[in-house]
Amino acid sequence: MQEASFSGFIKAIFYILVFYYIFKFLARLFLPVFVKKVVQKAGENFQKQQQNAQGNSWQKAPNNDEVIINTANAKKPLETKKVGDYVDYEEID
């Protein structure tokens, strides 16, 4: 069975700190480039979707510009039930 030593603990802390600072340094170098690529790719996908949507809407649009609204069968809006009359009151001191 092995026992933990103080020098082993210090070594582990040192390795953790070195890894943290190396990761932090590399993230500062490469993370902006990575984010820029991701944003460009998302923009390209968005533009493709918009072009496809516009192309499909133009193809599906009818050639007839007339809009006919049939009001003969339209129902009248239902009136709300009146519960009572409005009573104005004054406060008495």
Side-chain angles (χ1 to χ4, degrees), residues 11-66:
K11 245 188 212 182
I13 296 290
F14 176 74
Y15 288 137
I16 290 171
L17 288 175
V18 168
F19 176 75
Y20 171 75
Y21 283 111
I22 289 174
F23 180 76
K24 190 174 172 182
F25 176 74
L26 292 176
R28 283 188 181 178
L29 288 177
F30 296 114
L31 197 59
V33 175
F34 177 71
V35 170
K36 186 177 179 182
K37 291 284 185 182
V38 169
V39 169
Q40 285 178 348
K41 188 71 171 175
E44 290 172 3
N45 288 340
F46 179 73
Q47 286 179 350
K48 286 179 185 177
Q49 288 177 354
Q50 289 297 322
Q51 289 172 354
N52 289 340
Q54 287 176 353
N56 291 340
S57 66
W58 286 107
Q59 292 171 357
K60 292 180 182 178
N63 294 334
N64 193 358
D65 290 335
E66 288 185 42

